[in-house]
């Protein structure tokens, strides 16, 4: 990696900061929602209550001796952090630990009736089945009238913004936002992204998914379009091996999304059938590597995952959490070059991300100044700005 001074690692020890609020407020709310959505019995409810107390007032307690992944978590820092407050360890680590402990509380990994039951599935399905999803899928029909290049760019922006794509998939890089004092798209390497794909039509796109439901659907639509129009010969979709961060996509969520598309009418249904065919014949391959749920940056990825990414023409990482893991969960100066902090990555890499945390790199000085002048620090976490960044 170039000699770029590392920013401080983010921890959640300061009241009033965004990370502190996640641990103190968001995590307890998630536990209450999980208990409300699924009729767990007394044992599981007691475990959820105990986790609520532990994550807000207690210290990191190692997994039990019989946990299937205890050795893996020990290698990921569990023993080093044991006995410390959740607020005093790296925020990325404590967030990931919360979700591992939540799955422990509901018996997700243990033999028995709750094994493999996703505690977030009710919320995922409610979003996927919402009337707004029907409206967004119906809007796809209008894309048929666009030239292929415009259609591809619209789908890219649909993937970028997820369920904020405004009936979408119609957001584009052109328009009023380019001339706004504070643009919604704070960095745009979109043309560089297309040049990588257009230069290798027989290549492989690797996409590391973020959220399920109405945010996964646009990712799948983009993949389907790229395959159908020969921009890539093959796509590899990395999902989580188990539920994570409430809405992160698993294999089951991919299948739910494909079923949702195939049941739709018009262009959405055609995309769904194309995706099903691509899964069947291997042009679309699913991966669920254990490191996808690691509390560590991608700079620490194992060799087999590094080799997987190295084979791709382009790897696209979706969403805020993947961005934090890609560049490192640190308080970087916003003008820190994106290419410098991703120099370790084995191949061309792109980030598609709406801004929902303090981590940011690769901004032009004038963009940072305009954002701070207009919004203070809110632009970092509000989700109202986004970026497309590429390191070839």
């Amino acid at each position: 990696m170039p000699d770029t001074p590392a920013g401080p690692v983010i921890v959640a020890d300061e009241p009033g900061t965004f990370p502190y609020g996640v641990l103190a407020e968001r995590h307890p709310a998630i536990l209450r929602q999980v208990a409300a959505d699924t009729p767990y019995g007394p044992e599981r409810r007691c475990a959820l209550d105990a986790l609520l107390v532990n994550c807000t007032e207690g210290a990191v307690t190692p997994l039990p001796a019989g946990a299937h992944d205890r050795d893996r978590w020990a290698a990921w820092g569990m023993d080093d952090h044991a006995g410390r407050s959740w607020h005093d360890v790296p925020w990325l680590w404590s967030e990931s630990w919360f979700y591992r402990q939540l799955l422990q509380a509901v018996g997700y990994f243990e033999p028995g009736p709750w094994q493999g039951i996703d505690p977030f599935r009710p919320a995922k399905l409610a979003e996927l089945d919402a009337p707004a999803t029907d409206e967004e899928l119906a809007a796809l029909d209008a894309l048929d009238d666009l030239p292929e290049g415009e259609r591809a760019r619209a789908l890219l922006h649909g993937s970028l913004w997820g369920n904020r794509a405004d009936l979408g998939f119609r957001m584009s890089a052109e328009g009023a936002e380019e001339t706004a004092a504070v643009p919604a798209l704070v960095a745009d390497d979109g043309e560089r992204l297309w040049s990588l794909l257009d230069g290798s039509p027989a290549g492989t796109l690797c996409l590391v998914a973020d959220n399920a439901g109405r945010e996964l659907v646009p990712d799948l639509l983009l993949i389907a379009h790229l395959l159908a129009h020969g921009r890539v010969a093959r796509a590899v979709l990395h999902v989580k091996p188990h539920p994570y961060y409430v809405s992160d996509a698993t294999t089951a969520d991919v299948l739910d999304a494909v079923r949702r598309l195939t049941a739709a009418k018009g262009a959405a249904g055609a995309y769904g059938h194309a995706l099903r065919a691509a899964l069947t014949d291997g042009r679309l391959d699913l991966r669920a590597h254990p490191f996808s749920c690691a509390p560590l940056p991608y700079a620490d990825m194992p060799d087999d995952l590094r080799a997987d990414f190295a084979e791709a023409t382009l790897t696209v990482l979706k969403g805020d959490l993947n961005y934090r893991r890609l560049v490192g969960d640190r308080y970087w100066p916003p003008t820190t070059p994106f290419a410098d902090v991703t120099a370790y990555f084995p191949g061309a890499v792109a980030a598609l991300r709406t801004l929902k945390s303090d981590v940011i790199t690769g901004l032009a000085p004038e963009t940072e100044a305009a954002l701070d002048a207009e919004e203070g620090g809110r632009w970092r976490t509000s989700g109202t700005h986004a970026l497309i960044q590429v390191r070839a």
Side-chain angles (χ1 to χ4, degrees):
M1 182 180 292
D3 295 328
T4 300
V9 173
I10 296 177
V11 294
D13 60 347
E14 186 177 343
T17 62
F18 183 75
Y20 189 96
V22 170
L23 294 190
E25 300 171 13
R26 184 181 297 177
H27 287 177
I30 289 168
L31 290 172
R32 289 190 288 269
Q33 189 62 53
V34 166
D37 284 345
T38 302
Y40 292 110
E43 179 184 0
R44 299 302 171 196
R45 291 184 175 276
C46 285
L48 289 170
D49 290 342
L51 177 56
L52 176 59
V53 174
N54 181 250
C55 72
T56 53
E57 303 174 14
V60 173
T61 303
L63 293 169
H68 78 285
D69 55 350
R70 195 183 195 285
D71 290 346
R72 183 178 295 147
W73 273 95
W76 289 346
M78 178 182 68
D79 294 341
D80 294 336
H81 297 320
R84 301 175 65 188
S85 167
W86 292 53
H87 290 276
D88 293 336
V89 301
W91 182 42
L92 176 63
W93 198 94
S94 60
E95 273 197 293
S96 299
W97 181 246
F98 169 78
Y99 289 101
R100 176 59 185 88
Q101 290 290 67
L102 193 159
L103 295 181
Q104 188 72 22
V106 299
Y108 182 87
F109 295 113
E110 298 175 20
W114 296 106
Q115 186 175 34
I117 301 300
D118 185 346
F120 310 123
R121 184 169 172 79
K124 292 175 179 177
L125 291 180
E127 181 185 274
L128 191 61
D129 294 334
T133 305
D134 291 322
E135 297 174 353
E136 291 171 354
L137 295 181
L140 285 169
D141 292 342
L143 293 186
D144 287 342
D145 298 330
L146 297 178
E148 187 277 329
E150 291 183 31
R151 200 181 323 157
R153 284 161 175 76
L155 291 169
L156 175 67
H157 281 255
S159 177
L160 169 65
W161 288 101
N163 61 14
R164 290 192 64 247
D166 188 21
L167 296 184
F169 319 105
R170 283 199 289 253
M171 295 192 71
S172 72
E174 291 99 31
E177 76 164 31
E178 286 191 336
T179 58
V182 182
L185 203 56
V186 299
D188 185 7
D189 292 338
E191 291 308 312
R192 188 178 304 173
L193 183 152
W194 290 118
S195 71
L196 291 170
L197 294 181
D198 291 343
S200 183
T204 297
L205 170 70
C206 184
L207 193 149
V208 183
D210 184 31
N211 292 330
R214 287 167 57 205
E215 295 191 38
L216 179 60
V217 166
D219 299 340
L220 293 171
L221 294 172
L222 177 63
I223 288 172
H225 180 88
L226 296 177
L227 289 171
H229 291 271
R231 288 181 179 259
V232 295
R234 182 170 172 266
V236 178
L237 180 64
H238 281 258
V239 296
K240 301 299 189 295
H242 55 71
Y244 193 60
Y245 276 69
V246 180
S247 56
D248 280 21
T250 65
T251 298
D253 298 319
V254 173
L255 298 179
D256 284 339
V258 171
R259 282 194 293 265
R260 184 72 164 89
L261 286 166
T262 55
K265 299 178 181 178
Y271 278 114
H273 288 290
L275 285 163
R276 186 179 177 88
L279 285 165
T280 302
D281 63 27
R283 286 175 297 126
L284 173 55
D285 191 15
L286 300 182
R287 304 281 171 82
H289 196 285
F291 192 78
S292 294
C293 293
L296 303 172
Y298 276 105
D300 296 335
M301 75 180 86
D303 290 343
D304 61 334
L305 185 59
R306 177 177 293 273
D308 201 20
F309 290 147
E311 293 176 357
T313 305
L314 174 66
T315 297
V316 175
L317 286 91
K318 277 292 309 294
D320 196 77
L321 174 60
N322 281 325
Y323 188 86
R324 291 164 57 194
R325 297 185 68 197
L326 175 65
V327 305
D329 202 37
R330 296 174 175 270
Y331 287 115
W332 297 103
T335 55
T336 302
F338 177 75
D340 286 1
V341 294
T342 58
Y344 71 89
F345 201 86
V349 63
L352 298 184
R353 174 218 183 187
T354 54
L355 278 55
K356 298 177 182 177
S357 70
D358 290 307
V359 181
I360 185 70
T361 67
L363 293 191
E366 58 272 19
T367 301
E368 180 192 4
L371 288 164
D372 285 338
E374 184 72 19
E375 304 179 31
R378 295 187 304 276
W379 59 270
R380 291 172 176 259
T381 60
S382 64
T384 57
H385 296 280
L387 57 80
I388 303 172
Q389 291 176 324
V390 176
R391 195 226 72 214

